[in-house]
Amino acid sequence: MGTVSQFHESLRPPAHRIESEEEAISAARDHAAAFRHQASERDINRILPFAELDALSVSGLTAIAVPPDHEGLDVSNALLAEIVAIIAEGDASIGEALENHFCALETLRTQAGEDLKASLFARVLLGDRFAGAAFTDEAELTAEGPGYRLSGRTRQVPGILFADWIAAAATAPPSRPVTLYLARDDEGVQVVDDWDGFGQRTNGSATAIVGTLHVNADAVAPAPSSGHSTGISLGLLLKAGVGLGIARAAWSDLMTAIGDRSTTVLPRIGERAIRIEATAAALERAGRKLDIAQVNPVEAAMADAHFSASAAAILAGETALDTANALFELAGGTSAGIGLNLDRHWRNARIHALSLPRDRLVHTAGEYMSKVGGA
């Protein structure tokens, strides 16, 4: 058990292979448009989007971050963030699940040995999805034969209900951070649907519980030592992508609600439009810096990418919340009806921002800028 040699059959059709960035963008837009139609109903009734995530897998979009060395397309990070933003505009919960999936793939790319990467990236190309998680401090990981014996529970993470594999951070004795790759349907792994947030209600957040599980050595990888790892920076960048998507969704509903009255509030509309455009530009800049850090992972490049990704994440969170607020401030009573469910944009923005360690990121940014001396 707990070994990547145990492949699990999927009921999904074979995944399509996306061949270009243009095809990836087109597919993302098509799926986002379809997701948007039922996004409000899914939020109201908490209908989990299993079918929608399967559609993304079959389309090949969940595999676009697989490296070329493993037969993947490996799109640029700016484009990856834009694709997450497009999907999040259609449904922010699905965008957040995709955010966690791509972050787990970057962890796999940077940490795992070649055999482990070959095994799991092959599964991604077939449509398998991943979720990154972390076991709590009370979890136990002890050496046992050619591997470890694991027991404990993870913290709640988005997308784990939709995942085929869990990339779970833990600490191996005596104090060595590692990532364990666990099959989601392993008989030793139980995933509990315990998410009750008032926003991002269908993002697949849950807790994985392991009673006792043997994890073979071939399913374990060392964790990075740098606090500016590309995995951390990509997580911030894709979190910004979800925030941008929420802002765009709120903006679209704002313009619909205002209708012919838009001329009376043009300056305030213009201000929000500029913030959304500036946020998109911040994501693109951070994506380019992360591209550089991935190709040349020296500390200076990784710190620079982390700084820009932090700025993008903070800006996107603020833009999402501000745009959601503007929907009610500018559209007035036409936006306040319960049946319209437009408050989901504010709820999504608020909940999504809670997972961003803003104060720590601002402190780290101050330290970084005091060293480099300029933007």
Side-chain angles (χ1 to χ4, degrees), residues 313-334:
I314 291 172
L315 178 59
E318 293 173 349
T319 300
L321 193 58
D322 178 74
T323 310
N325 284 333
L327 176 57
F328 299 99
E329 294 169 2
L330 302 184
T334 59

Side-chain angles (χ1 to χ4, degrees), residues 324-345:
N325 284 333
L327 176 57
F328 299 99
E329 294 169 2
L330 302 184
T334 59
S335 64
I338 292 177
L340 295 175
N341 196 32
L342 297 181
D343 62 299
R344 72 183 187 279
H345 301 308

Side-chain angles (χ1 to χ4, degrees), residues 44-189:
I44 291 172
N45 297 306
R46 197 169 181 269
I47 301 170
L48 294 173
F50 286 101
E52 287 74 14
L53 265 298
D54 280 348
L56 286 180
S57 288
V58 172
S59 76
L61 276 172
T62 55
I64 57 175
V66 173
D69 291 347
H70 296 276
E71 303 182 13
L73 178 62
D74 192 31
V75 300
S76 69
N77 287 295
L79 186 69
L80 194 65
E82 176 61 20
I83 285 173
V84 168
I86 289 170
I87 296 298
E89 182 178 358
D91 188 316
S93 287
I94 298 175
E96 191 173 21
L98 200 59
E99 167 198 332
N100 194 11
H101 166 77
F102 286 136
C103 289
L105 296 191
E106 177 66 5
T107 298
L108 176 64
R109 185 190 72 83
T110 56
Q111 295 181 18
E114 289 304 316
D115 288 345
L116 183 58
K117 286 194 285 190
S119 296
L120 292 180
F121 280 135
R123 301 304 303 177
V124 178
L125 291 173
L126 292 174
D128 281 11
R129 295 186 296 270
F130 280 64
F135 277 94
T136 64
D137 295 337
E138 291 75 25
E140 295 183 2
L141 188 64
T142 56
E144 181 182 74
Y148 298 92
R149 180 159 294 276
L150 170 68
S151 63
R153 63 172 59 214
T154 68
R155 295 178 174 85
Q156 283 183 329
V157 291
I160 197 168
L161 284 175
F162 313 127
D164 300 287
W165 299 89
I166 302 170
T171 301
S175 57
R176 183 169 63 97
V178 296
T179 300
L180 312 169
Y181 290 89
L182 311 176
R184 161 75 168 76
D185 63 353
D186 195 299
E187 63 182 15
V189 179

Side-chain angles (χ1 to χ4, degrees), residues 188-212:
V189 179
Q190 178 187 11
V191 177
V192 179
D193 181 4
D194 54 359
W195 175 245
D196 63 351
F198 62 76
Q200 296 294 83
R201 299 189 68 227
T202 61
N203 65 2
S205 285
T207 299
I209 299 175
V210 176
T212 302

